[in-house]
Amino acid sequence: MSTIFLGKARHWLLLVIVAACFWVTGIYHLHVSEFNTFVGITMALAVLLVFSVILDYRPGDRITREDLPEPDGD
């Protein structure tokens, strides 16, 4: 499965948790009834995801299937 799903398992788990949170907020219609709460939840989840990926990254970790080309000297 590591050839299909690149990245760490905890990153995929966080993605599932965020999807579940958005599903729950959708069920309770927070995006229309409590918009400020919905925006707060969305921002908190975004910050959580970004910082978890940034803090967990180690040099040499594989992030793409193919090697990224070196930029030209243009």
Side-chain angles (χ1 to χ4, degrees):
M1 291 303 271
S2 65
T3 58
I4 297 173
F5 298 106
L6 294 180
K8 299 176 182 167
R10 65 181 144 253
H11 294 165
W12 287 101
L13 179 64
L14 282 172
L15 183 65
V16 170
I17 290 170
V18 167
C21 288
F22 282 138
W23 181 71
V24 169
T25 59
I27 290 215
Y28 290 111
H29 305 285
L30 289 182
H31 59 288
V32 291
S33 63
E34 295 287 334
F35 185 72
N36 290 337
T37 304
F38 175 74
V39 169
I41 291 170
T42 302
M43 290 302 213
L45 290 173
V47 168
L48 171 76
L49 284 176
V50 168
F51 278 113
S52 66
V53 171
I54 288 174
L55 295 175
D56 204 25
Y57 175 75
R58 300 290 176 252
D61 282 352
R62 185 174 166 200
I63 58 171
T64 61
R65 293 189 195 291
E66 293 85 23
D67 293 330
L68 296 174
E70 291 295 323
D72 294 335
D74 295 339

